[in-house]
Amino acid sequence: MTRNQDMGRRAAVVLCVAAALSGPGAPAGASAGPAGPGRGALVYVADLHSDTVSVVDAGSGTVVDRVPVGDGPDSVAVAPDGARVYVTDSAADTVSVIDARTRRVTATVPVGDEPSRVTVSPDGWNVYVANVGSGDVSVISTRTLAVTDTIAVGDAPLGVAVSPDGCTLYVANAASGTVSVVRTATATVTGTIPVGSGPTALALTPDGRHLYVSNMDSDDVSVVDVRAGAESDRIPVGDRPTGIGVRPDGRAVYVADIGSDTVSVIGTRARAVTDTVAVGHSPNGLAAGPDGSRVYVSDFDSDTLSVIDTATARVTDTVPVGDGPTGVAVAGGKTPEDTA
């Protein structure tokens, strides 16, 4: 084991131990409380064909900056403290690291072949990147900005999600029809869960007990019981579901249906679609705001960001962004200047 591997795995162990000692509650690195959509909330949108990330002020609904990144930005994730933004450059096989305060790329990290999705551990120490072309996940230490581990998973990994305690990583394998379960402390696959056809994106409920998986080729969403390690339900949604997100209170799941230009709203208690929202053309990425009052959806063929009011399940704003918007992430609560 190299020194970098040892550092990355020690970080995962520390987070899991801390979570076990503290019991259920907010994960390490979480903010003290949610913020309204107007105070300091920023939406980051990966513009695949523009090679940029659009920065949208959630309060005003305007693009306040456009940050050049690597070739083919596909997915974006924000550190828990909001200080850094991580972007997968799918055509460059790299991850661009943006300083949120200066809105400039400060580092570029080589990863696997065709990085597709990215997420950050709850403590902010590790970044996980699904490489669809090489069938693996790159683990990046945020302290060294180097890859500490490479984890072989299923075929064409796309979606990634980390449990609230940071102990488990879930990976959607689009060509295998499975979800790989990875123990972060050892960077090893401990289980494989069959789901629908073409799983592309993942979202965990806030308590970490249920995993929702959008299955693009079977037009449905799998509900995985995490404790049982098995699919417990399958919910039909719109045509070719892609992006997926859970409201912070856990009451609803939102699914971008790229083939039907809609967002399906799933009630987590009913486990059924309770509403369908018309958005722009080819909705792709999706993220809920910090207080759950808004959901942000990238419309790939409209070059826009649709803003959904979750109380009314209607689009309240449409923001022009870059060319071919895909991944979406929201930094809420405090601006980078607030945390300086």
Side-chain angles (χ1 to χ4, degrees):
M1 183 185 296
T2 67
R3 182 173 182 273
N4 277 342
Q5 285 177 319
D6 182 58
M7 289 174 65
R9 295 183 188 180
R10 280 175 182 268
V13 171
V14 168
L15 177 59
C16 290
V17 171
L21 292 174
S22 61
S31 61
R39 185 184 182 273
L42 295 174
V43 184
Y44 295 90
V45 184
D47 306 315
L48 184 72
H49 294 155
S50 299
D51 297 339
T52 58
V53 169
S54 294
V55 185
V56 179
D57 181 280
S60 64
T62 58
V63 175
V64 295
D65 212 340
R66 222 168 243 136
V67 184
V69 290
D71 191 7
D74 189 20
S75 178
V76 58
V78 182
D81 63 2
R84 282 177 174 171
V85 180
Y86 301 92
V87 186
T88 55
D89 308 315
S90 63
D93 298 342
T94 57
V95 169
S96 292
V97 183
I98 298 173
D99 183 313
R101 190 177 306 140
T102 63
R103 295 178 189 154
R104 296 293 179 268
V105 172
T106 57
T108 302
V109 184
V111 289
D113 183 19
E114 198 178 343
S116 58
R117 304 291 189 270
V118 59
T119 192
V120 187
S121 62
D123 63 354
W125 289 350
N126 288 304
V127 174
Y128 299 97
V129 183
N131 304 305
V132 65
S134 49
D136 52 33
V137 172
S138 298
V139 185
I140 300 171
S141 165
T142 59
R143 289 167 293 174
T144 63
L145 292 181
V147 172
T148 60
D149 267 302
T150 301
I151 308 165
V153 289
D155 293 334
L158 285 173
V160 284
V162 188
S163 60
D165 62 7
C167 297
T168 308
L169 174 72
Y170 300 95
V171 186
N173 305 305
S176 299
T178 60
V179 171
S180 295
V181 183
V182 178
R183 186 185 179 203
T184 58
T186 59
T188 55
V189 175
T190 59
T192 302
I193 304 170
V195 289
S197 180
T200 62
L202 306 172
L204 278 159
T205 53
D207 60 10
R209 294 181 179 179
H210 292 96
L211 179 73
Y212 287 81
V213 186
S214 61
N215 302 309
M216 178 182 277
D217 296 335
S218 52
D219 298 339
D220 52 31
V221 169
S222 294
V223 185
V224 173
D225 184 315
V226 167
R227 290 179 176 176
E231 183 185 63
S232 60
D233 212 341
R234 192 86 64 85
I235 304 167
V237 290
D239 187 18
R240 298 188 65 75
T242 53
I244 191 167
V246 178
R247 206 164 69 182
D249 61 10
R251 294 181 180 179
V253 175
Y254 297 82
V255 187
D257 308 314
I258 195 169
S260 51
D261 295 344
T262 57
V263 168
S264 297
V265 185
I266 297 172
T268 53
R269 288 189 178 181
R271 289 197 179 176
V273 172
T274 59
D275 227 320
T276 302
V277 185
V279 290
H281 295 306
S282 304
N284 190 336
L286 182 150
D291 68 349
S293 67
R294 301 288 186 273
V295 167
Y296 302 91
V297 187
S298 61
D299 307 313
F300 185 79
D301 287 330
S302 296
D303 299 336
T304 55
L305 182 74
S306 292
V307 183
I308 298 174
D309 183 325
T310 60
T312 62
R314 295 293 179 267
V315 172
T316 58
D317 199 5
T318 302
V319 183
V321 289
D323 187 7
T326 53
V328 181
V330 184
K334 295 180 179 180
T335 64
E337 288 76 11
D338 293 329
T339 59

